[in-house]
Amino acid sequence: MPMKPLDHDRRYGELDQVMRAYLGQAADDTPERRSTALDAYLRHTWHTRPWAIAEAERQLREYSRNPPGRLRINLGEFYAVPDTGLPESAIGDWLLVVADHLKQSIEGGDVPAPASPQTHWEWHARFPETAQLLGGWFSQDIVDEFPDHEAAVRDYADGTDPQLVARLVGELHELLALPLDEPDYALAAAELGMEVGPPEPFSYVVWFRVVAEQLAAPRGE
């Protein structure tokens, strides 16, 4: 039978977070150099959950040393490492390389410098509520569901807990504080799930500012 969620998280929860950071990215870590994906994981996790890095290091080493055997695979009680582009025979050694980098980051204080998100995973990890709005309310179906962008934002606000709305406002201000130009903001919107452009005549950066102001206004205004 499949593993229960609590057991999964105890054994593989942080390993899974690291592996998700590699989706769509090259698993090209070497003993001398971290990958872009691992830098993204460390940059975000040091800022939000620094204690989790040691747990990730432990789980990666444990998985590498004790990969699931045939019985656990047949029972479904194991974690399946996502496709990394590496041959199966190389995954164990690669996991140890990643674990070594995590250990070095902890023991040596080797933390990636603050930067704009560099991967799809990092955009979603850093701006989860923005992704919820853009991916959920601004798909290509918006023209069939709402008369305009403002109505879609209002629908989000009406159906979302005020604390989450406030969190989104904070995320938008953080997004606007990044050193990005207009094409970068267009890329950010796409990474976060937006499938349509901002309403005329707004640019992305101006529209993000308008949305933040709209959501920050007291209800009824």
Side-chain angles (χ1 to χ4, degrees):
M1 60 182 295
M3 204 181 323
K4 294 181 179 179
L6 182 59
D7 192 29
H8 172 277
D9 287 351
R10 283 173 173 168
R11 294 187 189 182
Y12 311 120
E14 201 56 34
L15 164 65
D16 184 55
Q17 287 299 308
V18 177
M19 294 299 99
R20 288 175 183 272
Y22 281 87
L23 294 177
Q25 298 293 315
D28 57 357
D29 308 87
T30 68
E32 298 76 29
R33 183 186 62 82
R34 294 190 301 244
S35 64
T36 298
L38 188 57
D39 268 347
Y41 169 81
L42 283 170
R43 181 166 43 244
H44 180 71
T45 308
W46 266 115
H47 180 68
T48 57
R49 302 179 303 120
W51 59 87
I53 298 171
E55 180 63 14
E57 189 255 355
R58 183 192 69 78
Q59 291 183 9
L60 264 69
R61 291 194 191 281
E62 181 65 22
Y63 191 96
S64 177
R65 293 166 179 162
N66 298 286
R70 184 175 301 175
L71 176 61
R72 285 167 61 194
I73 291 175
N74 290 339
L75 293 174
E77 296 181 352
F78 75 105
Y79 175 80
V81 173
D83 184 11
T84 60
L86 297 173
E88 187 174 348
S89 60
I91 289 177
D93 290 340
W94 169 68
L95 291 174
L96 288 178
V97 169
V98 175
D100 287 343
H101 280 302
L102 295 177
K103 180 180 180 181
Q104 180 181 357
S105 181
I106 296 168
E107 294 184 342
D110 183 8
V111 182
S116 302
Q118 299 299 305
T119 69
H120 181 77
W121 175 87
E122 192 176 8
W123 278 110
H124 282 254
R126 188 165 172 180
F127 300 103
E129 198 59 32
T130 306
Q132 180 70 14
L133 170 67
L134 298 184
W137 275 262
F138 290 95
S139 70
Q140 294 180 2
D141 296 331
I142 183 175
V143 294
D144 300 322
E145 299 178 6
F146 304 105
D148 52 33
H149 287 56
E150 183 176 356
V153 173
R154 189 163 53 248
D155 183 77
Y156 161 84
D158 289 343
T160 303
D161 187 281
Q163 295 181 66
L164 294 178
V165 175
R167 182 177 301 171
L168 171 58
V169 172
E171 287 184 12
L172 289 173
H173 284 298
E174 182 179 350
L175 181 61
L176 290 165
L178 295 177
L180 304 178
D181 55 24
E182 180 64 13
D184 294 325
Y185 278 111
L187 175 62
E191 290 282 7
L192 292 168
M194 190 173 184
E195 297 180 346
V196 296
E200 295 290 345
F202 299 123
S203 64
Y204 282 95
V205 65
V206 172
W207 182 67
F208 285 146
R209 189 174 295 117
V210 168
V211 172
E213 293 172 353
Q214 179 182 349
L215 292 173
R219 297 294 177 89
E221 292 191 7

